[in-house]
Amino acid sequence: MSRHSQVREFSQLQRRLESLNTARELAEGVLPDQELQEVYDVLERAASRRSLSAEHTVVGFFGATGSGKSSLFNAVSGTELATATARRPTTSQALAGIWGEDGSGPLLDWLDVKERHALPPVSGLADGNSGLVLLDLPDFDSTRVENREIVQRMVGMVDVLVWVLDPQKYADAAVHNDFLRPMASHGAVTLVVLNQTDTLGPGDASAVMRSLEGILARDGLEKVRVIGASAVTGDGVDTVRGAIRNVVLQREATTQRLAADVAKAAAELALASGEGEARGIKGSAKARLAAELATAANVPVVVDAVERSFKRESAKRTGWPVTRWLLRFRPDPLRRLNLGKADTRPELSRTSLPPAGAPERARTDAAVRDFADDASFGAPGPWRAAIRGAARDGREQLPDALDQAIAGTDLKATKRPLWWVLFNALQWLALLLALGGLGWLGVLAALGYFQMPVPEVPRTEGWPWPTLMVAAGVVLGIVLAIAGRILGGWAARARASGAAKRLRAAVAAVAEQSIVEPVDVEITRLKAFNAALQEARSA
């Protein structure tokens, strides 16, 4: 493999590892901890392996009891190491044969292989510069728990896996279900050897090989190379050596192994997550949510209070001064709700609106749930639950947030229209005119009562001016009061409409902060997770 290709493969693996880690981080709190821990373990193993010798390729021999794994190891390595080890009490330990000892120490320390042997060159396999580490491992079906643990650990750590099977147990469910099938993504770094072919006749050997290849295809390993061999007669041993030598010479087994680990971890993470994207947040859904929350938060009650309060204040300012004082005995609807004050800090204010009862809470819950369901439609199960959970968490903050938003909304309650000043001035002028006429008539009556000369009063069309003054003042006051009430009604509705818009905007802002934004964060997280996972799975 060229240096340029190695760099490209290394960079691509780095990108996939980073994407897998990103997906893992994004899935925290959504997917099961066990799944995330397994991904973390893969990332940790990858980081550890990449920090160790890239010049060495670790090839592990795996097999069941009676498969002839150790004998094949000896035949391939040209030694009797495995046989010698089998007679010692350390049979549960891995054994390493090394070609190119320099730099292998830290790698074997990481593998926790204590028995190490530097071996002489073997024709067709390796020499002192090859950088090959050949491991003979305990039987994976051993009755000793420690042995099975070593095999399970080594399956996840070696660069190349050589599975040694025999004609009697090549179809054993244990090896296929527990090892080969779960490692289907590692076909590029897997080699299967059917050992003990010397026990089969010529026709039987080819039939068993075809049967084994069919089983491996069902395991997802249809592209794996299968070699027939016999450690006893030496048949196929050179082929096994050549296959291992090719892998070592290419110097890409480590990268391929880690890439396969990433692909497997990403596939398992995708399986735990499920496929799909959330529909996302639509403007119509946001509008429905805000409208429902506004109703549940008694915005219509406040709007009605704004209209009635304006009408009351308009009547006080423009009504007939003789009767307007009676309005002081009618409470201001806004003040009863603790709204409309000009000297209250919005962030500290609270309304006196009735607390949300069961119907209002049910309406709020339904609105939030419907919004979350609409936004999360199409998302996989765990992520849909996360989106709903974000909306549900925000729902708990709504009562106080909505109340504070309403209390902090400027209802323009202290803003006085200019026409109030004009009408008020005209009312007082009309009252003064009427009072002037009454005073004039009173003076005339007093003079007549005391038998004093009563001066002649001016007349218009036969009507005395004092009488006309009283009539004009009263009529003008009544007309102004009626006109003020009509104008006040129009202005009150306009004031209420403006208040409704501002209140709905305030409620929408609360909904945005408490519900929409948290939901959008989860939807964005799902989108980023899927993108990262796709990147991790792409070869």
Side-chain angles (χ1 to χ4, degrees):
M1 186 179 186
S2 68
R3 181 66 178 173
H4 178 73
S5 298
Q6 286 181 331
V7 171
R8 184 176 65 251
E9 291 290 334
F10 187 88
S11 300
Q12 186 180 58
L13 176 61
Q14 177 66 27
R15 170 181 56 79
R16 294 179 64 187
L17 286 167
E18 291 174 354
S19 297
L20 181 62
N21 187 53
T22 298
R24 180 192 65 82
E25 292 175 344
L26 290 168
E28 288 183 354
V30 178
L31 300 185
D33 291 340
Q34 181 179 353
E35 301 289 343
L36 299 180
Q37 182 61 45
E38 290 175 1
V39 173
Y40 182 78
D41 292 341
V42 168
L43 293 168
E44 282 288 291
R45 287 198 302 270
S48 298
R49 180 63 183 93
R50 297 176 81 204
S51 68
L52 299 169
S53 175
E55 301 302 319
H56 286 82
T57 302
V58 182
V59 180
F61 275 53
F62 300 86
T65 304
S67 64
K69 167 182 56 62
S70 296
S71 298
L72 184 64
F73 175 90
N74 287 336
V76 170
S77 64
T79 68
E80 292 297 325
L81 288 176
T83 303
T85 302
R87 294 197 294 266
R88 299 202 306 271
T90 57
T91 53
S92 64
Q93 298 299 316
L95 166 71
I98 309 167
W99 289 268
E101 192 173 12
D102 292 345
S104 65
L107 176 58
L108 290 169
D109 290 340
W110 176 65
L111 291 168
D112 195 24
V113 177
K114 294 181 173 55
E115 186 163 0
R116 312 168 186 181
H117 300 272
L119 299 179
V122 175
S123 177
L125 177 65
D127 55 30
N129 297 319
S130 295
L132 170 62
V133 177
L134 210 60
L135 298 181
D136 181 37
L137 301 167
D139 300 332
F140 59 72
D141 60 349
S142 172
T143 57
R144 299 185 60 177
V145 175
E146 312 92 274
N147 289 9
R148 293 197 300 272
E149 289 177 348
I150 290 174
V151 172
Q152 289 283 4
R153 181 169 59 83
M154 287 299 185
V155 165
M157 299 177 75
V158 300
D159 300 325
V160 180
L161 303 98
V162 177
W163 295 98
V164 182
L165 307 178
D166 63 272
Q168 286 73 38
K169 294 189 291 187
Y170 72 91
D172 187 8
V175 65
H176 290 277
N177 294 338
D178 298 343
F179 294 99
L180 289 171
R181 189 170 300 154
M183 300 295 289
S185 59
H186 292 64
V189 290
T190 299
L191 180 67
V192 177
V193 178
L194 180 65
N195 194 21
Q196 302 176 1
T197 56
D198 57 295
T199 63
L200 299 170
D204 293 336
S206 59
V208 172
M209 288 283 285
R210 286 194 301 272
S211 175
L212 175 57
E213 289 171 351
I215 295 173
L216 291 173
R218 290 194 292 273
D219 290 337
L221 293 165
E222 62 276 0
K223 295 183 180 180
V224 167
R225 185 176 182 185
V226 182
I227 302 173
S230 172
V232 175
T233 65
D235 289 342
V237 171
D238 286 341
T239 305
V240 175
R241 286 175 179 169
I244 295 174
R245 177 180 176 82
N246 288 337
V247 170
V248 173
L249 290 176
Q250 289 175 7
R251 300 291 186 193
E252 58 182 342
T254 300
T255 301
Q256 288 180 335
R257 166 62 205 250
L258 295 178
D261 287 344
V262 171
K264 183 173 182 286
E268 292 175 349
L269 204 58
L271 184 63
S273 167
E275 301 290 339
E277 292 280 1
R279 171 187 289 167
I281 298 172
K282 304 298 183 183
S284 57
K286 288 172 60 174
R288 285 195 301 270
L289 174 65
E292 290 296 323
L293 293 183
T295 301
N298 291 311
V299 166
V301 174
V302 177
V303 172
D304 180 68
V306 169
E307 183 174 352
R308 291 188 292 114
S309 175
F310 187 90
K311 288 180 178 179
R312 174 184 176 276
E313 192 65 22
S314 181
K316 282 177 59 178
R317 302 291 178 179
T318 65
W320 197 25
V322 176
T323 58
R324 70 170 63 168
W325 63 275
L326 295 173
L327 296 173
R328 297 181 182 275
F329 297 101
R330 292 170 55 186
D332 187 338
L334 276 181
R335 295 300 175 91
R336 292 183 66 179
L337 299 177
N338 197 32
L339 295 171
K341 298 178 181 178
D343 57 349
T344 302
R345 294 173 60 185
E347 65 275 11
L348 300 178
S349 59
R350 289 292 185 271
T351 73
S352 296
L353 287 165
E360 289 77 16
R361 289 195 299 271
R363 186 165 192 161
T364 299
D365 290 342
V368 172
R369 184 172 58 251
D370 290 346
F371 174 79
D373 287 347
D374 183 81
S376 65
F377 181 79
W383 291 94
R384 193 166 193 181
I387 294 170
R388 289 170 171 171
R392 189 164 53 249
D393 291 343
R395 159 68 184 86
E396 302 300 322
Q397 309 168 12
L398 283 178
D400 285 344
L402 289 172
D403 189 78
Q404 188 171 352
I406 291 173
T409 300
D410 184 8
L411 302 176
K412 308 294 183 183
T414 59
K415 184 178 180 180
R416 299 178 180 179
L418 292 177
W419 65 270
W420 279 6
V421 177
L422 176 62
F423 271 59
N424 188 50
L426 292 176
Q427 283 285 22
W428 282 107
L429 287 175
L431 181 61
L432 289 176
L433 180 63
L435 290 176
L438 287 174
W440 195 345
L441 290 175
V443 171
L444 293 176
L447 290 175
Y449 179 80
F450 289 108
Q451 301 295 312
M452 296 178 67
V454 178
E456 188 69 26
V457 296
R459 293 176 179 271
T460 300
E461 297 293 333
W463 293 89
W465 281 16
T467 302
L468 289 175
M469 289 173 61
V470 172
V474 171
V475 171
L476 181 59
I478 293 174
V479 170
L480 287 172
I482 294 173
R485 184 174 294 273
I486 295 173
L487 288 176
W490 292 342
R493 287 188 290 274
R495 179 69 60 89
S497 177
K501 290 180 181 178
R502 290 188 293 275
L503 287 168
R504 285 194 291 268
V507 169
V510 171
E512 184 78 22
Q513 182 177 2
S514 299
I515 306 296
V516 177
E517 288 181 1
V519 165
D520 188 54
V521 166
E522 295 301 317
I523 292 174
T524 303
R525 182 153 70 124
L526 169 58
K527 187 176 296 185
F529 169 83
N530 284 336
L533 205 58
Q534 181 64 31
E535 184 79 5
R537 298 176 73 177
S538 62

